[in-house]
């Protein structure tokens, strides 16, 4: 929208100062009467009577005051837009499209308000998803358990009791997984950024693989770790990053076939720290490639041994990696052709940055 505020923001010395815009308009307004009087004097060759000069001055002052007030009100445009955007969101949940390119105080207010409303809307949407999941996917299984226990109470039969117990176990395991993932999702929003530290990725990967060794052993899956030649550090929350990497490795094990291998590589590429996890499992269909990163995705499926999936793990992992300034991408050639997930993050530690091996690696990448 073109208005006085937008036009004044194009002037270099007014661009970054909101109050200076007001002073500039006020300065011009104050001098309008003088300019008008000078123009009138020039036109009639300064022969006007005292009364004519007085009337001219009064009229010029009134005109100048009216114009100054009008233009000062125009300068309040950012505040009016901010108020309107907030009102529309609160009353109709309508997301605003406020300008975010202005650099003065009012412009920064618009930018912060836009980002805040977007974040608030995102959190509300996430909360709705959690509530939907709790009301449907959690309540339904409890009703199933209640129904099964009623059957058990109604008539005791040893063989049927074992079947009922197995059903209860499966329902409980599935929903415990969902609840754990929901708690992880909520916890990821609460951890304090002051807890961020330098994290060495080789050690973190070994720790995550050790934690999941029993899951791999059950399916006779070999987890092969290829370390970086030199320590690779990233800056972030170790609890969250461990959670993300563990999710990815556990995912690879879950969807791998018995007796296959999972490759976990730590390295550097174009100045970025990378962790890639590759399996030889069920793969990902092309149409599901983007869906798998959605929270509570419908593209979730059971593992090769019937392991349950809540549809939260990959969404949470990508969110954590993005918090570190990186990204998580997936690749698969299709069904039963395996999958690869690569997490890229900025390198942070001075220890790594000044390591001669690290420096030579960076030069070779360039």
């Amino acid at each position: 929208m073109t208005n006085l505020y937008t036009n004044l923001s194009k002037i270099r010395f007014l661009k970054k100062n909101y109050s200076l815009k007001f002073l500039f308009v006020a300065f011009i307004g104050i001098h309008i009467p003088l300019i008008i009087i000078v123009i009138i004097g020039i036109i009639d060759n300064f022969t006007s009577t005292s009364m004519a000069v007085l009337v001219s001055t009064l009229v010029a002052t009134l005109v100048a005051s009216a114009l100054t007030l009008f233009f000062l009100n125009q300068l309040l445009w950012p505040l009016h837009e901010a108020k309107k955007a907030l009102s529309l969101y609160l009353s109709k949940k309508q997301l605003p499209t406020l300008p975010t390119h202005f650099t003065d105080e009012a412009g920064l207010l618009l930018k912060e308000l836009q980002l805040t409303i977007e974040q608030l809307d995102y959190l509300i949407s996430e909360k709705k998803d959690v509530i939907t999941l709790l009301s449907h996917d959690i309540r339904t299984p409890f009703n199933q358990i209640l129904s099964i226990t009623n059957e058990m109470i109604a008539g005791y039969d040893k063989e049927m009791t074992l079947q009922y117990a197995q059903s209860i176990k499966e329902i409980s395991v599935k929903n415990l997984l969902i609840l754990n993932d929901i708690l992880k999702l909520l916890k990821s929003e609460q951890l304090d950024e002051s807890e961020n530290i330098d994290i060495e990725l080789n050690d973190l990967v070994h720790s995550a693989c050790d934690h999941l060794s029993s899951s791999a052993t059950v399916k006779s899956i070999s987890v092969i770790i290829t370390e970086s030649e030199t320590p690779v550090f990233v800056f972030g929350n170790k609890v969250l990053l461990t959670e993300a990497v563990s999710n990815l490795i556990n995912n690879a094990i879950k969807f791998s076939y018995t007796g296959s291998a999972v490759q976990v590589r730590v390295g550097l590429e174009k100045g970025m720290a990378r962790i890639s996890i590759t399996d030889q499992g069920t793969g990902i269909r092309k149409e599901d490639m983007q869906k798998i990163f959605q929270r509570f995705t419908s593209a979730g499926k059971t593992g090769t041994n019937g392991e349950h999936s809540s549809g939260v793990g990959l969404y949470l992992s990508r969110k954590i990696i993005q918090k570190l300034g990186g990204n998580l991408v997936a690749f698969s050639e299709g069904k039963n052709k395996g999958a690869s997930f690569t997490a890229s993050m900025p390198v942070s530690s001075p220890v790594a940055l000044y390591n001669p091996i690290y420096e030579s690696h960076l030069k070779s990448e360039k």
Side-chain angles (χ1 to χ4, degrees):
M1 178 182 290
T2 301
N3 53 44
L4 182 64
Y5 172 78
T6 303
N7 291 328
L8 290 181
S9 294
K10 296 176 183 178
I11 301 174
R12 180 173 295 180
F13 74 94
L14 297 176
K15 188 175 183 179
K16 295 185 178 181
N17 196 314
Y18 187 55
S19 58
L20 193 57
K21 291 181 176 70
F22 275 88
L23 293 175
F24 179 76
V25 171
F27 177 82
I28 297 298
I30 289 171
H31 289 82
I32 286 177
L34 178 60
I35 295 170
I36 292 175
I37 292 169
V38 170
I39 291 173
I40 292 173
I42 293 173
I43 291 173
D44 64 7
N45 203 23
F46 296 99
T47 58
S48 301
T49 62
S50 298
M51 181 58 69
V53 172
L54 180 61
V55 171
S56 299
T57 303
L58 181 60
V59 171
T61 301
L62 291 173
V63 171
S65 298
L67 289 173
T68 302
L69 290 174
F70 173 77
F71 287 124
L72 288 177
N73 185 62
Q74 288 267 304
L75 285 179
L76 295 176
W77 175 80
L79 303 183
H80 293 314
E81 287 296 301
K83 180 183 176 182
K84 183 170 69 174
L86 193 56
S87 297
L88 282 174
Y89 182 75
L90 291 175
S91 61
K92 300 181 180 179
K93 292 296 181 288
Q94 181 179 322
L95 276 177
T97 54
L98 295 172
T100 57
H101 60 280
F102 296 112
T103 55
D104 63 6
E105 298 86 348
L108 294 176
L109 172 65
L110 291 176
K111 181 179 180 179
E112 290 299 321
L113 182 61
Q114 178 70 29
L115 295 176
T116 300
I117 291 177
E118 287 177 356
Q119 182 66 14
L120 178 61
D121 190 71
Y122 175 81
L123 292 174
I124 291 174
S125 176
E126 196 167 75
K127 180 182 176 182
K128 287 180 180 178
D129 285 341
V130 172
I131 291 172
T132 300
L133 187 75
L134 289 173
S135 64
H136 181 268
D137 289 6
I138 302 297
R139 186 172 58 184
T140 299
F142 277 110
N143 287 331
Q144 292 174 335
I145 291 174
L146 183 60
S147 176
I148 291 171
T149 53
N150 286 336
E151 291 289 333
M152 293 172 68
I153 293 170
Y156 176 77
D157 180 275
K158 186 175 181 180
E159 185 177 343
M160 289 301 297
T161 299
L162 288 174
Q163 293 180 13
Y164 287 146
Q166 184 62 32
S167 297
I168 291 173
K169 179 182 177 181
E170 290 177 0
I171 293 170
S172 299
V173 168
K174 178 182 178 181
N175 286 276
L176 182 60
L177 173 65
I178 293 173
L179 285 173
N180 283 336
D181 281 343
I182 290 173
L183 290 173
K184 290 173 187 175
L185 184 62
L186 297 176
K187 187 178 180 182
S188 71
E189 296 292 343
Q190 295 176 350
L191 288 180
D192 191 346
E193 289 187 2
S194 63
E195 298 175 6
N196 290 352
I197 59 171
D198 277 332
I199 308 164
E200 208 286 302
L201 296 186
N202 288 325
D203 291 343
L204 184 142
V205 163
H206 275 287
S207 177
C209 289
D210 288 344
H211 180 68
L212 295 167
S213 59
S214 58
S215 299
T217 301
V218 168
K219 300 175 73 172
S220 300
I221 292 172
S222 302
V223 179
I224 303 167
I225 302 173
T226 303
E227 293 187 2
S228 171
E229 295 178 0
T230 184
V232 180
F233 290 83
V234 298
F235 187 74
N237 189 291
K238 190 172 183 179
V239 174
L240 287 179
L241 185 56
T242 301
E243 186 64 47
V245 174
S246 296
N247 278 343
L248 295 173
I249 298 172
N250 184 56
N251 217 51
I253 294 171
K254 183 189 300 182
F255 296 109
S256 289
Y257 295 108
T258 299
S260 61
V262 171
Q263 297 277 348
V264 183
R265 295 182 178 86
V266 180
L268 293 160
E269 186 175 337
K270 296 180 180 178
M272 296 286 282
R274 293 186 186 272
I275 300 176
S276 64
I277 296 98
T278 304
D279 64 61
Q280 302 164 347
T282 57
I284 307 167
R285 297 182 305 173
K286 185 177 180 180
E287 57 267 32
D288 291 334
M289 194 62 72
Q290 291 305 316
K291 292 180 183 178
I292 60 173
F293 289 111
Q294 296 172 359
R295 58 182 184 271
F296 310 121
T297 177
S298 59
K301 54 186 179 180
T302 56
T304 53
N305 270 12
E307 301 98 325
H308 296 294
S309 177
S310 66
V312 177
L314 289 177
Y315 164 76
L316 181 61
S317 295
R318 173 179 269 188
K319 186 175 182 180
I320 291 169
I321 299 301
Q322 289 176 338
K323 269 191 172 183
L324 298 179
N327 197 19
L328 174 64
V329 295
F331 173 78
S332 176
E333 292 184 351
K335 187 177 179 181
N336 293 325
K337 293 186 178 180
S340 179
F341 290 84
T342 302
S344 304
M345 296 156 283
V347 177
S348 69
S349 174
V351 175
L353 289 174
Y354 293 109
N355 187 300
I357 301 176
Y358 178 79
E359 290 179 351
S360 64
H361 183 88
L362 281 183
K363 289 177 182 178
S364 67
E365 289 289 349
K366 292 178 182 178

